[in-house]
Amino acid sequence: MVKIKRALISLSDKTGLIDLAKALSKFGVEILSTGGTARALRENGIAVTEVSDYTGFPEMLDGRVKTLHPKIHGGLLALRDNAAHMQKLQEHNIGLIDMVVVNLYPFQEAIKKPGVSLAEAIENIDIGGPSMLRSAAKNNRSVAVVSSPVFYPGIIEELNKNNGSLSEETLFKLAVEVFKLTSRYDQAIAAHLEKYAKGSTGNTVKEFPAELSLCFEKVQELRYGENPHQNAAFYKEKGKSNGLVDLKQLQGKELSFNNILDLNAAFELVKEFKRPAAVIVKHNNPCGVAEDVTLEKAFVSAWKCDPLSAFGGIVALNRELDLKAAKVIAKSGFLECIIAPGFDKEAAALFKDKKNLRLLEVGGIEPVSEPEFKRVSSGMLLQDKDIKTLDINELKVVTRKKPTKNELESLIFGWKVAKHVKSNAIVLTRGTKNEGIRAGQMSRVD
């Protein structure tokens, strides 16, 4: 067990700060801190020593240099069972630091801002934070390193249980989380800065990086994969939200691997439409799509396109499901899932007896420009997402017969659907509903 006697806390995200600091103070832990974190602690009556007072060296260069000091890193890196290390600390009046609580400048959030400049991005690259985290993580046998508020409750519980001490097992797990974090952080920085690398034509933004690093965290284990003999899990891309990975399941049994694939296909297609729309997907392909003045009418038209294929399918809607539409859907036949931005209470209640039907609430109904990945043997294909839209006023008619405005609108509707059908795709459209959809046949003639 490692007794925590001195902790350094420096946070951009102050979620849970006061609870953790109070727990440390209860066991007489000396707290070192910087800037806004120190101010927040003092405002809540928690004793704190400024890092600049501790090191005897002021913050400088607009805060770029705060904790990069031997009294900080010496106190973190010294091996407690190494006599030479301990003698050096004594010679230079360096105290031990037993815990570091740090989260990093929000670089990923900063670069998401519209029009963010290269200079702004660079100013949001944390230096002192990763340095302290890595120093503490390297010496994890003696130092607790806490890189996220998600770990605070467990740490507080363990401190209370062990009279202010933490186990070496906990310290090691926390260190592993740090190296995962700093790896992701550096990958994000490198990927963003590479866009500004000079090419043969000058300072141009490259479409795709020369090296590709991806980071995903597990959302859940799945019962099985595409077939029962395959293991499977669902992962979320780090730093991304408001999409399929953030589904809120209101009812129904656990999602399967194939359910998630079909949900994604349906969700991506329904995002194409502005008016109320319904999409029915089976085996990754739409079998019915319609856009209308109400969800009720849109669903009826989508179902009529191919009721046989729609049986056991996935329904996606681009509006909150209301009671009228819910009544029609409930009578249509067996469905696996309904995914929508929301569910009216009465509409949701209508399905409560269908125990196996999944009702899924999802945000992010607007199309998002992000790259698409396809795994191949020992490699990966990367392409831009197809979010292209057609403007009826910019279309060039090359035939002698000119389509009417209604025919053009119908063509554009069919074009949106065809984007989401596996090639070869044939889409028959009347107005803004499909009369028939066929996909993926090997023979072009048939």
Side-chain angles (χ1 to χ4, degrees):
M1 302 295 286
V2 173
K3 182 77 172 177
I4 308 300
K5 298 176 182 176
R6 179 180 289 123
L8 193 157
I9 307 177
S10 182
L11 303 171
S12 55
D13 177 4
K14 297 175 179 57
T15 304
L17 163 65
I18 304 307
D19 289 340
L20 179 62
K22 284 180 177 178
L24 292 170
S25 296
K26 183 171 73 173
F27 294 105
V29 177
E30 179 188 356
I31 296 177
L32 310 177
S33 193
T34 60
T37 306
R39 185 164 55 253
L41 292 171
R42 279 194 296 268
E43 287 172 355
N44 283 274
I46 297 168
V48 59
T49 301
E50 289 272 0
V51 164
S52 56
D53 294 330
Y54 180 75
T55 62
F57 206 89
E59 291 185 16
M60 60 187 299
L61 306 180
D62 298 319
R64 285 189 171 202
V65 178
K66 300 177 185 177
T67 56
L68 298 170
H69 194 280
K71 287 195 76 170
I72 300 299
H73 289 275
L76 293 172
L77 285 164
L79 297 174
R80 275 57 167 170
D81 56 0
N82 185 310
H85 282 202
M86 300 308 289
Q87 184 179 342
K88 281 294 179 185
L89 293 192
Q90 192 172 3
E91 287 177 15
H92 296 284
N93 193 29
I94 296 175
L96 297 173
I97 299 175
D98 310 300
M99 176 183 280
V100 166
V101 185
V102 168
N103 46 50
L104 307 178
Y105 292 172
F107 179 83
Q108 289 96 324
E109 284 70 32
I111 61 175
K112 289 178 186 175
K113 295 176 183 175
V116 64
S117 67
L118 176 58
E120 288 174 295
I122 288 173
E123 279 307 307
N124 278 279
I125 297 174
D126 203 329
I127 302 300
S131 299
M132 285 189 292
L133 288 176
R134 290 175 67 87
S135 290
K138 179 172 181 174
N139 202 18
N140 64 78
R141 284 176 55 202
S142 304
V143 183
V145 57
V146 188
S147 56
S148 168
V150 74
F151 303 124
Y152 298 175
I155 288 169
I156 292 170
E157 183 180 353
E158 191 168 337
L159 288 170
N160 288 331
K161 181 181 176 182
N162 299 317
N163 194 31
S165 296
L166 297 174
S167 69
E168 289 188 9
E169 180 184 3
T170 295
L171 269 55
F172 186 78
K173 287 179 180 178
L174 290 169
V176 172
E177 293 299 325
V178 162
F179 289 117
K180 285 158 61 175
L181 170 66
T182 57
S183 173
R184 293 193 300 268
Y185 195 72
D186 286 340
Q187 286 170 10
I189 293 168
H192 185 73
L193 297 189
E194 189 178 30
K195 295 178 183 179
Y196 296 88
K198 286 190 177 181
S200 57
T201 58
N203 193 25
T204 58
V205 175
K206 292 185 178 180
E207 285 271 339
F208 300 111
E211 293 184 13
L212 183 63
S213 298
L214 304 176
C215 187
F216 292 79
E217 60 182 339
K218 188 160 62 178
V219 175
Q220 67 185 93
E221 295 278 351
L222 300 174
R223 286 178 295 159
Y224 53 84
E226 192 170 1
N227 296 292
H229 61 273
Q230 292 172 271
N231 296 323
F234 188 26
Y235 283 78
K236 171 182 178 177
E237 189 172 2
K238 274 283 190 179
K240 296 293 179 70
S241 61
N242 207 23
L244 204 64
V245 292
D246 294 310
L247 283 172
K248 181 181 177 183
Q249 187 163 348
L250 305 182
Q251 75 163 50
K253 60 185 179 180
E254 183 183 349
L255 291 171
S256 72
F257 183 93
N258 291 325
N259 288 152
I260 293 170
L261 287 177
D262 282 343
L263 282 166
N264 188 64
F267 181 57
E268 289 300 316
L269 176 48
V270 84
K271 289 195 292 186
E272 296 275 2
F273 306 106
K274 299 297 183 187
R275 293 194 300 154
V279 170
I280 306 171
V281 161
K282 190 77 172 289
H283 299 157
N284 282 205
N285 271 303
C287 52
V289 184
E291 189 182 29
D292 215 314
V293 293
T294 66
L295 278 184
E296 176 191 7
K297 289 184 176 182
F299 177 80
V300 169
S301 295
W303 184 265
K304 284 181 178 178
C305 177
D306 189 349
L308 187 63
S309 296
F311 183 85
I314 303 280
V315 173
L317 309 168
N318 65 352
R319 297 286 194 282
E320 179 181 273
L321 179 59
D322 56 60
L323 185 59
K324 280 188 176 181
K327 286 179 178 178
V328 173
I329 293 173
K331 293 177 182 177
S332 60
F334 171 64
L335 295 169
E336 289 277 3
C337 309
I338 303 173
I339 183 171
F343 291 81
D344 175 87
K345 285 185 178 180
E346 289 182 293
L350 196 64
F351 298 103
K352 68 181 182 206
D353 293 331
K354 296 179 182 289
K355 301 298 182 184
N356 290 333
L357 174 65
R358 294 92 159 179
L359 299 185
L360 303 152
E361 192 172 288
V362 65
I365 204 69
E366 293 296 322
V368 177
S369 177
E370 57 186 5
E372 293 181 323
F373 306 96
K374 297 283 185 182
R375 189 81 164 92
V376 296
S377 180
S378 302
M380 184 86 73
L381 293 170
L382 177 65
Q383 68 173 357
D384 288 331
K385 190 169 185 177
D386 186 0
I387 59 169
K388 183 176 176 61
T389 57
L390 296 182
D391 185 336
I392 195 170
N393 298 312
E394 295 177 359
L395 295 178
K396 180 182 178 182
V397 179
V398 296
T399 55
R400 280 195 289 271
K401 182 177 180 179
K402 308 295 182 185
T404 66
K405 184 179 178 182
N406 287 342
E407 287 172 335
L408 281 173
E409 288 175 347
S410 189
L411 281 167
I412 289 173
F413 173 83
W415 180 81
K416 289 177 180 178
V417 176
K419 276 203 297 182
H420 296 265
V421 180
K422 307 300 180 198
S423 183
N424 295 321
I426 299 175
V427 176
L428 302 179
T429 303
R430 187 189 304 276
T432 54
K433 63 182 180 181
N434 286 125
E435 297 289 340
I437 305 170
R438 284 298 174 263
Q441 298 300 321
M442 286 67 73
S443 167
R444 291 172 181 267
V445 177
D446 294 336

